Amino acid sequence: MPSWVGRNFQLLTISAVISTLGSAGAVSAASFAVLRAGGSDTDVGLIAAARTVPLVLFLLVGGAVADRFPRQKIMVAANGLSALSQALFAALVLSGGARMWQMAILSALGGVGQAFFAPASQGLLLANVETAHASRAFAVYRLGVNSANIGGVALGGILTAVFGPGIALAVDAGSFVLAALLRSFLNIAPSVREKPVSGMWRDLREGWLDFAGRRWLWAIVLQFSVVNTMVVAVEAVYGPQVAESRLGGAAAWGIVLAAQGAGNFLGGMLMVRWQPDRFLYAATLAVFPYALPAAALAVAVPTPGLVVVMMAAGCSVQIFGVGWMQALHQEIPEDRISRVSAYDALGSYALLPIGTAVAGPVASAIGISGALWGAVGLTVLLTAAVLFIPEVRRMRREQLGDAAAESDASEVPGDALSTSSENE
């Protein structure tokens, strides 16, 4: 096993895979639970919003807390809250007496847990990866998590179809318990960062100054506030409509989305080996293919062509993701990474609820083809604009430890992938 696969990294990766396996399937299970309790499509949206709103509201607080106190303890506590909310949700569904307001409250508790967990998790992962092997480690981590996401969706669908949504939700609760147990075994040395020396508002202000003071950082987050919205609108709203009218329905769209998952896997495999020197420049160039699915849908590319396009887009997602994690790891001080990650997440995802809400009306106003080309144009223009930022083009990989990285390179394919396989 290569030297960079340390105990903490293994535990963080394995626990992330386990919790992702449960959570990926719980999303659709919660929707079916609402519908089987007599809820409407609007109720499904409201329950989803009940989770999203507190997630957005508490993200910054979660980032500040994660930079003040032990991140490991925050992650374990957040997992415990998520496990409790999902266990109660499952119990209500299995009892047959679940009400909408009860499900909304429990979904909101899960959102709060995620708001505190995400910044702490990002900070702890970045703090436990050696600089010389950062991109390779991030590639393996993302490879495991994305594989778990694909498998979790399938597992959740099977459990919901065979046993009902209550069992799928209970499995998710169990996955949080197991993940929390594994994270409790992390060997994290205490640091000065863990001793609060200032107020919460001052911490948030310092995080904002770190965020706003780096042009490459806020520009890419601003870019993705729109790009992520376009991607979700295409995959969740426009794609299914085109599939229904031109491709033969849900089965064809399922194949297309599965191809994207395959592309994620191939991209992860690529980034285990490829370590570009100007990694942020390479990552930004990889955003251009994000526009391909919308363009392919707009020109009525048949299903086989869409499969190829979605694989390319899925591969690009991994290239960008690894480069972005590398940039945060290299450029942001360890004692502020959780706060910066919280601003990153808030900026990147805050527009998603609005985007999905207006996607339908926009398509009604200018036609679905016009909406798709609009998504293409915004993605391409914003990505091209980011390339004008000198730091994006010039940021280079730190050379410290490259000799060690070279010496481990021959070990990576077998050992790194076997680590990911064991995690599954």
Side-chain angles (χ1 to χ4, degrees):
M1 183 173 291
S3 60
W4 54 267
V5 184
R7 180 176 179 275
N8 283 343
F9 178 78
Q10 291 184 64
L11 285 173
L12 286 167
T13 302
I14 295 171
S15 58
V17 167
I18 290 172
S19 58
T20 301
L21 273 172
S23 298
V27 175
S28 61
S31 298
F32 280 107
V34 172
L35 294 173
R36 293 184 184 183
S40 64
D41 291 343
T42 300
D43 292 322
V44 171
L46 290 175
I47 298 301
R51 180 180 180 85
T52 304
V53 170
L55 170 60
V56 171
L57 289 178
F58 286 97
L59 258 176
L60 296 183
V61 176
V65 169
D67 279 339
R68 290 167 63 89
F69 301 103
R71 291 170 180 146
Q72 176 190 15
K73 294 180 180 179
I74 294 170
M75 292 169 66
V76 172
N79 281 164
L81 180 59
S82 296
L84 177 62
S85 66
Q86 288 296 74
L88 291 174
F89 201 152
L92 283 172
V93 173
L94 291 171
S95 72
R99 301 190 179 186
M100 296 303 149
W101 66 267
Q102 295 170 326
M103 291 188 282
I105 290 174
L106 293 173
S107 293
L109 284 177
V112 172
Q114 182 64 19
F116 282 87
F117 174 83
S121 174
Q122 180 91 320
L124 198 58
L125 177 67
L126 296 182
N128 280 274
V129 171
E130 295 179 13
T131 299
H133 311 288
S135 63
R136 186 174 290 122
F138 296 145
V140 171
Y141 179 84
R142 289 179 60 88
L143 189 62
V145 170
N146 279 291
S147 298
N149 190 61
I150 296 168
V153 170
L155 176 64
I158 293 171
L159 290 175
T160 300
V162 177
F163 302 105
I167 295 298
L169 292 167
V171 168
D172 187 29
S175 74
F176 280 119
V177 171
L178 183 54
L181 180 63
L182 288 173
R183 286 163 177 144
S184 69
F185 289 114
L186 290 166
N187 184 18
I188 307 298
S191 68
V192 176
R193 173 193 62 79
E194 295 171 353
K195 300 175 182 179
V197 295
S198 61
M200 181 73 69
W201 287 111
R202 182 174 177 180
D203 284 353
L204 290 172
R205 181 175 179 275
E206 287 178 350
W208 170 253
L209 291 175
D210 264 329
F211 176 82
R214 291 174 167 82
R215 183 168 48 178
W216 63 269
L217 179 58
W218 62 256
I220 291 178
V221 170
L222 181 61
Q223 169 200 14
F224 268 83
S225 69
V226 178
V227 170
N228 282 336
T229 303
M230 295 300 99
V231 169
V232 172
V234 169
E235 293 182 2
V237 181
Y238 303 141
Q241 291 182 39
V242 173
E244 188 66 27
S245 61
R246 301 178 191 167
L247 304 177
W253 189 242
I255 293 173
V256 169
L257 292 180
Q260 184 182 40
N264 285 157
F265 183 81
L266 292 175
M269 295 280 288
L270 171 65
M271 296 310 293
V272 168
R273 295 292 299 178
W274 183 42
Q275 300 184 60
D277 181 40
R278 292 194 292 167
F279 58 92
L280 191 57
Y281 179 60
T284 302
L285 289 176
V287 180
F288 284 111
Y290 283 35
L292 289 176
L297 289 168
V299 298
V301 170
T303 300
L306 272 175
V307 166
V308 175
V309 164
M310 291 295 273
M311 285 186 69
C315 183
S316 297
V317 169
Q318 291 295 80
I319 295 173
F320 173 81
V322 171
W324 183 243
M325 293 182 75
Q326 171 75 20
L328 294 177
H329 176 269
Q330 179 173 299
E331 301 295 324
I332 308 299
E334 190 272 334
D335 64 332
R336 298 185 181 185
I337 187 62
S338 290
R339 277 170 285 178
V340 171
S341 296
Y343 280 108
D344 169 22
L346 181 63
S348 297
Y349 297 108
L351 292 181
L352 288 183
I354 299 174
T356 52
V358 303
V362 168
S364 298
I366 64 175
I368 193 166
S369 179
L372 287 166
W373 283 119
V376 172
L378 285 171
T379 300
V380 171
L381 287 174
L382 288 171
T383 304
V386 167
L387 289 175
F388 281 98
I389 297 172
E391 299 92 329
V392 172
R393 301 193 307 273
R394 298 172 186 169
M395 186 182 295
R396 292 185 179 275
R397 184 180 305 278
E398 289 184 354
Q399 297 303 307
L400 179 64
D402 276 358
E406 291 291 334
S407 68
D408 281 339
S410 62
E411 299 180 58
V412 169
D415 290 325
L417 296 181
S418 66
T419 300
S420 178
S421 176
E422 289 168 10
N423 291 342
E424 295 176 22

